């Protein structure tokens, strides 16, 4: 048994989308991906006034990967060309498999447009291996109460388990590729040791507070992604203050990544085919 070491810490860089406050730790100048985790946008936290325009993500296509969206504050309406539709509230998660392609929109419901309120959202893109790029699209919308909350370390650590297993408890999402995904809230002094990480890449993003990662690690503050070494099969997380983190891990895919906007494939020819298919209406009727 050996611990994974911190290879590098990557700050989230500001990249607002209109009036939506946005920070992005990956991709970044020093990190293309944490295979198979491709991309993370951290929207907010911010407060919208009454009679606002809401989120700017109207109908747009995707192919070749999955989007996992965590609604930390506020609410989010999803609808897509495969017929899925939902409104997810604070504490909920939506997991969408774009696969062979669909058109979807992520917008603010009428209640939020009229009344405003706090908003904070994380969206993570998870790659699919070549043999699953053209899998059938799917969608799972989870409210807070649908996600198991596991009390760990005497109650100082609370893990919201979205996908994968922890000590016999399974998350509600059955990942196509065996991804483990969670959010974890730490009280000051909380400690968590994660095992069985051999041959898996860890995705660790600190949303709020601070963590010490590893046995003799430096303190890492909010809005930073921690890149861990390939070697090792365990990692220890300690919170010197209250903290909230996004924590996942998965086997790396190791295949070429060719991306163009909302399409993530393995070759340029596949990207060109995705564009033709979308333009021909093969992703479903626009909404």
């Amino acid at each position: 048994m050996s611990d994974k070491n911190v290879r590098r810490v990557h700050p989230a860089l500001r990249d607002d989308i209109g009036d939506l406050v946005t920070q992005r730790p990956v991709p970044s100048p020093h990190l293309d991906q944490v295979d198979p985790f491709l991309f993370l946008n951290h929207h907010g936290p911010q407060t919208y006034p009454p009679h606002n325009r809401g989120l700017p993500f109207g109908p747009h296509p995707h192919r070749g990967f999955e989007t996992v969206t965590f609604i930390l504050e506020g609410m989010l309406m999803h609808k897509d060309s495969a017929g899925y539709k939902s409104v997810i509230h604070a504490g909920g998660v939506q997991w969408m498999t774009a696969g062979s392609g669909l058109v979807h929109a992520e917008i603010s419901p009428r209640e939020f447009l009229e009344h405003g309120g706090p908003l904070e959202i994380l969206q993570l893109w998870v790659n699919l291996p070549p043999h699953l790029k053209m899998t059938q699209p799917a969608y799972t919308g989870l409210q807070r109460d649908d996600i198991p909350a596991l009390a760990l370390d005497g109650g100082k650590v609370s893990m919201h388990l979205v996908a994968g297993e922890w000590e016999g408890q399974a998350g509600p999402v059955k990942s196509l590729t065996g991804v483990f995904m969670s959010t974890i809230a730490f009280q000051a002094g909380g400690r968590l040791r994660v095992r069985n990480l051999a041959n898996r890449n860890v995705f660790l993003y600190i949303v709020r507070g601070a963590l010490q990662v590893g046995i003799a690690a430096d303190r890492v503050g909010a809005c930073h992604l921690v890149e861990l070494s390939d070697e090792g099969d365990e990692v220890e997380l300690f919170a010197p203050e209250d903290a909230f983190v996004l924590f996942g891990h998965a086997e790396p895919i190791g295949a070429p990544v060719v991306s163009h906007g909302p399409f993530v494939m393995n070759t340029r020819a596949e990207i060109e085919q995705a564009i033709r298919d979308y333009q021909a209406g093969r992703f479903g009727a626009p909404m």
Side-chain angles (χ1 to χ4, degrees), residues 2 15 21-22 35 45 51 75 77 80 89-90 98 117 126 135 154 156 191 197 202 212 215 233 252-253 271 274 278:
S2 62
D15 189 15
V21 174
T22 301
D35 186 10
H51 309 295
M75 59 186 73
M77 175 184 286
D80 64 45
H89 297 269
V126 182
T135 195
K156 291 182 179 179
R191 189 181 303 272
L197 296 176
V202 172
Q212 292 176 358
I215 295 174
D233 57 6
I253 294 171
I271 292 291
Y278 170 60

Side-chain angles (χ1 to χ4, degrees), residues 152-158 184-193 209-212 219 236-244:
L152 309 172
D153 192 22
K156 291 182 179 179
V157 177
S158 178
I184 309 175
F186 291 83
Q187 295 178 19
R191 189 181 303 272
L192 183 68
R193 175 163 282 272
L211 276 188
Q212 292 176 358
R219 181 190 188 103
E236 183 158 292
L237 310 177
F238 173 75
E241 60 184 74
D242 290 357
F244 183 81

Side-chain angles (χ1 to χ4, degrees), residues 106-117:
E106 295 166 299
I107 57 177
S108 299
R110 181 174 299 276
E111 178 184 349
F112 190 86
L113 297 176
E114 291 179 355
H115 300 289

